[in-house]
């Protein structure tokens, strides 16, 4: 299997900065916990290097993630959920690990996977044209 087999990438219609702001708004509205926002391009600058706009957001809902980690402790390697927002030659990409990977990697049951599927809805909302109502 390819390393990227379970990576989903969608296209956003706003800058990395604006898409990040939108993601944080969506997470707040959903009552999710934002564990970290890592500006990887800013970190690169501190090392005297350049990196395209690249922001990693770690988020979750302990009510959803805890049962997964309780049943499958190694799943904590991929939790909390994360979305990578990055510039691809002027196009903002939204990438994340498909929760289906948890079944393959850790044997997580479908009922527990459903709780992680929120990442699909978030990415869909970020990829929607501004002003559309694809959130749900």
């Amino acid at each position: 299997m390819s390393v990227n087999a379970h990576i989903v990438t969608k296209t956003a219609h706003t800058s990395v900065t604006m898409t990040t702001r939108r993601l944080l708004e969506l997470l707040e509205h959903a009552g999710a916990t934002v564990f970290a926002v890592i500006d990887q391009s800013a970190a690169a600058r501190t090392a005297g290097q350049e990196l395209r706009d690249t922001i990693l957001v770690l988020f979750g809902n302990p009510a959803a993630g805890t049962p997964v980690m309780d049943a499958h402790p190694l799943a904590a390697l991929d939790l909390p959920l994360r979305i990578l927002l990055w510039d691809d030659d002027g196009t903002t990409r939204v990438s994340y690990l498909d929760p289906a990977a948890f079944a393959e990697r850790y044997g997580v049951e479908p009922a527990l996977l459903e709780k992680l599927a929120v990442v699909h809805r978030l990415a869909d909302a970020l990829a929607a044209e501004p002003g559309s109502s694809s959130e749900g």
Side-chain angles (χ1 to χ4, degrees), residues 31-136:
T33 300
V34 175
F35 295 102
V37 177
I38 303 168
D39 185 337
Q40 294 173 324
S41 47
R45 285 191 293 279
T46 68
Q49 298 182 37
E50 288 297 315
L51 177 66
R52 72 189 84 212
D53 286 343
T54 305
I55 297 178
L56 181 66
V57 179
L58 282 73
F59 66 95
N61 178 336
T66 301
V68 173
M69 292 182 287
D70 186 45
H72 306 278
L74 293 179
L77 290 168
D78 287 314
L79 291 172
L81 294 173
R82 48 194 60 102
I83 289 181
L84 178 67
L85 306 161
W86 55 286
D87 179 77
D88 183 17
D89 289 325
T91 299
T92 300
R93 303 292 183 197
V94 177
S95 299
Y96 61 95
L97 180 67
D98 188 328
F102 286 79
E104 187 172 311
R105 291 180 183 183
Y106 311 112
V108 176
E109 301 81 7
L112 292 175
L113 287 179
E114 289 176 19
K115 297 178 181 191
L116 304 178
V118 66
V119 70
H120 291 302
R121 293 187 296 278
L122 288 167
D124 288 345
L126 295 174
E129 290 284 346
S132 73
S133 59
S134 71
E135 303 167 33

